[in-house]
Amino acid sequence: MHKFLRAAGFRDCRTRKEEKELLSLLLREAVQTGRLTVPGDTSYVEYRCELAQGMGVSLAGTEEADGEFQLEYYFPYIIGTEESSREECSIQRHAERETYAGMLDEYKVGISLIFYINNSMEYRIRKAQKKPAKVQSVNLAGMAVEGKVLLPIQKTARQIELAKVAANNRNHLLEAAKQGDEDAMESLTIEDIDLYSKVSRRLAKEDVYSIIESCFMPCGVECDQYSIIGEIKEIHTLTNRISQEEIYRLTIECNDMVFDVAINQSDLLGEPKVGRRFKGQIWMLGNLNFQ
């Protein structure tokens, strides 16, 4: 059973029998969103059952000439409303099945950001039809099975402005360091040493969450899951039309990058409000926008 199915509003689906019944129901209500015909009598088909605006379950498999559909895999999805990144995106196929991961060298988070591609069928069809498949931008979104609401860090307008300037300067240094600029590498190293020293002194008297305003770091052994702390910019409540469960769709700003996070209301500890922070572990998905 998919771990993040509860983030789409199916918290009570726990057994294999319940999962099978749910997938049968979803297939009856799903709409075909992609078909890739290969030599022979078999076609690769993708169906999607939308449960709320921009959120649902995707079901993919093969279909024979007689119309019989054989489900191979499924996953809950959420389509991000914000354009999160315009950095160069590379695409790699997963080893176990015909699904794909995207990788962004995103300076804002300081790591190679890996995510599960939502619209991989569109990519496969473009490749098969020899159409351009260069990625122009990516809309990122995450799904979480648990999370907490943290209070914001109190800052003045001047501190906010200085933080933005410092972030921009660091991004320029990271870009220069990637091109081989030794002065930029040295500046970043000195900056990291100073930051470590400053944090170590403050930790003796302050709580860690009053020092770390936001964070974005890999979590666990799966490369598309991250532990994040980010500021809540917008809050929307979605209702799963089948289970009637309420889902929070939070627009999060984390390390100067904006993306949506979906979480079941019963899995979020605290009351979300604009300006407060969200802390949780997310499964990162992305929708590719092609040129």
Side-chain angles (χ1 to χ4, degrees):
M1 187 178 301
H2 203 288
K3 176 182 176 182
F4 292 91
L5 195 60
R6 64 187 295 130
F10 294 113
R11 183 170 51 91
D12 295 328
C13 184
R14 294 188 177 93
T15 66
R16 288 293 180 189
K17 182 180 178 182
E18 290 172 342
E19 179 191 35
K20 189 175 180 180
E21 291 172 353
L22 175 61
L23 292 177
S24 298
L25 172 63
L26 294 175
L27 270 173
R28 289 197 297 272
E29 300 192 10
V31 175
Q32 187 180 125
T33 53
R35 174 182 288 270
L36 180 62
T37 304
V38 293
D41 296 330
T42 303
S43 297
Y44 293 101
V45 184
E46 180 189 68
Y47 291 93
R48 284 198 171 182
C49 182
E50 189 169 74
L51 303 167
Q53 186 176 3
M55 186 186 75
V57 175
S58 181
L59 308 106
T62 56
E63 193 169 278
E64 303 300 331
D66 59 4
E68 183 183 353
F69 177 73
Q70 183 66 41
L71 180 67
E72 290 188 355
Y73 65 91
Y74 74 94
F75 63 92
Y77 71 87
I78 177 172
I79 299 173
T81 56
E82 300 282 342
E83 186 179 81
S84 304
S85 177
R86 297 182 69 88
E87 296 295 332
E88 185 177 349
C89 178
S90 58
I91 301 170
Q92 294 289 331
R93 182 189 184 276
H94 289 131
E96 58 181 317
R97 61 171 70 101
E98 194 76 21
T99 56
Y100 291 80
M103 185 173 74
L104 296 164
D105 284 327
E106 185 53 72
Y107 300 122
K108 295 174 184 176
V109 295
I111 59 173
S112 293
L113 195 160
I114 299 172
F115 60 93
Y116 190 97
I117 295 177
N118 261 332
N119 55 335
S120 58
M121 180 59 78
E122 181 184 356
Y123 172 73
R124 292 170 64 187
I125 292 171
R126 280 176 171 269
K127 294 289 283 185
Q129 296 176 350
K130 294 182 169 48
K131 289 183 178 179
K134 185 171 177 59
V135 180
Q136 179 174 298
S137 62
V138 179
N139 288 32
L140 295 173
M143 287 187 145
V145 294
E146 61 179 358
K148 298 176 182 177
V149 177
L150 304 179
L151 293 173
I153 294 177
Q154 190 172 15
K155 294 189 296 183
T156 64
R158 177 167 173 74
Q159 286 175 321
I160 293 170
E161 192 61 37
L162 288 173
K164 287 181 180 178
V165 172
N168 286 333
N169 290 340
R170 183 173 176 81
N171 289 340
H172 291 316
L173 285 172
L174 285 167
E175 189 170 354
K178 190 178 178 182
Q179 302 300 325
D181 188 327
E182 292 185 3
D183 290 337
M185 294 179 195
E186 186 177 345
S187 296
L188 285 168
T189 303
I190 293 170
E191 188 179 305
D192 287 343
I193 293 170
D194 290 344
L195 183 63
Y196 178 79
S197 176
K198 190 185 297 182
V199 169
S200 298
R201 289 196 303 271
R202 290 183 62 184
L203 275 173
K205 298 180 180 179
E206 298 179 49
D207 181 82
V208 66
Y209 294 122
S210 67
I211 301 170
I212 300 172
E213 184 177 3
S214 69
C215 79
F216 191 103
M217 60 183 181
C219 182
V221 296
E222 294 190 55
C223 54
D224 53 9
Q225 293 188 28
Y226 301 91
S227 180
I228 68 163
I229 300 174
E231 184 182 347
I232 300 172
K233 291 295 186 181
E234 292 181 24
I235 304 166
H236 298 282
T237 302
L238 307 176
T239 303
N240 182 313
R241 61 182 178 83
I242 293 176
S243 67
Q244 298 303 309
E245 292 183 24
E246 300 289 323
I247 311 295
Y248 281 127
R249 182 183 189 129
L250 309 174
T251 301
I252 305 292
E253 183 178 354
C254 180
N255 286 30
D256 296 322
M257 191 167 63
V258 180
F259 53 89
D260 294 340
V261 172
I263 183 169
N264 200 302
Q265 278 194 2
S266 60
D267 293 330
L268 182 63
L269 180 63
E271 183 183 358
K273 286 189 176 181
V274 173
R276 293 182 179 179
R277 292 178 294 165
F278 170 83
K279 175 183 180 293
Q281 180 181 336
I282 64 168
W283 175 46
M284 186 64 84
L285 301 100
N287 224 64
L288 305 179
N289 303 316
F290 297 100
Q291 287 186 348

